[in-house]
Amino acid sequence: MPFSWVIDINTKSATSATVTPNPLNVSVGDEIVWANNDGRAHWPALANGTLNTTFFMPNQIAPNSSSSSFRPGDAETFNYVCSLHPHDTHEQGTIKVS
């Protein structure tokens, strides 16, 4: 039975946020949602050393709201960053799917 996970985006400082848990270990088919508890918008996107244009969701996540869900279909590792703040080393994470 798939499990539901929440990745929390929370204020670290006036110009930075963190994502927890990081890394997140899930199973194929589990549901993942980002909860933005920060005062600014965020938009998780895949990163392979540099940001690419593949996003986990169609829109950014407004402050104090949640994203649409993401369900990984294959066992793999996803490295992601906030595409709106890609140079902030705290606004990045890893999802390991087994």
Side-chain angles (χ1 to χ4, degrees), residues 60-71:
Q60 18 182 311
I61 310 165
N64 302 309
S65 66
S66 295
S67 70
S68 54
S69 64
F70 166 68
R71 289 184 186 269

Side-chain angles (χ1 to χ4, degrees), residues 16-98:
S16 183
T18 59
V19 295
T20 54
N22 183 29
L24 175 62
N25 297 303
V26 304
S27 297
V28 171
D30 282 357
E31 177 184 52
I32 302 165
V33 173
W34 281 261
N36 185 1
N37 296 302
D38 188 39
R40 58 191 179 146
H42 296 279
W43 198 346
L46 293 178
N48 297 330
T50 59
L51 180 66
N52 69 30
T53 58
T54 305
F55 297 89
F56 288 107
M57 63 215 59
N59 302 304
Q60 18 182 311
I61 310 165
N64 302 309
S65 66
S66 295
S67 70
S68 54
S69 64
F70 166 68
R71 289 184 186 269
D74 296 308
E76 60 184 295
T77 297
F78 297 98
N79 295 305
Y80 65 92
V81 299
C82 175
S83 63
L84 302 176
H85 315 109
H87 300 295
D88 185 340
T89 59
H90 300 287
E91 292 187 46
Q92 55 189 275
T94 301
I95 300 169
K96 296 179 180 179
V97 185
S98 59

Side-chain angles (χ1 to χ4, degrees), residues 5-26:
W5 299 92
V6 176
I7 298 174
D8 182 55
I9 304 170
N10 216 322
T11 302
K12 179 173 177 61
S13 69
T15 60
S16 183
T18 59
V19 295
T20 54
N22 183 29
L24 175 62
N25 297 303
V26 304

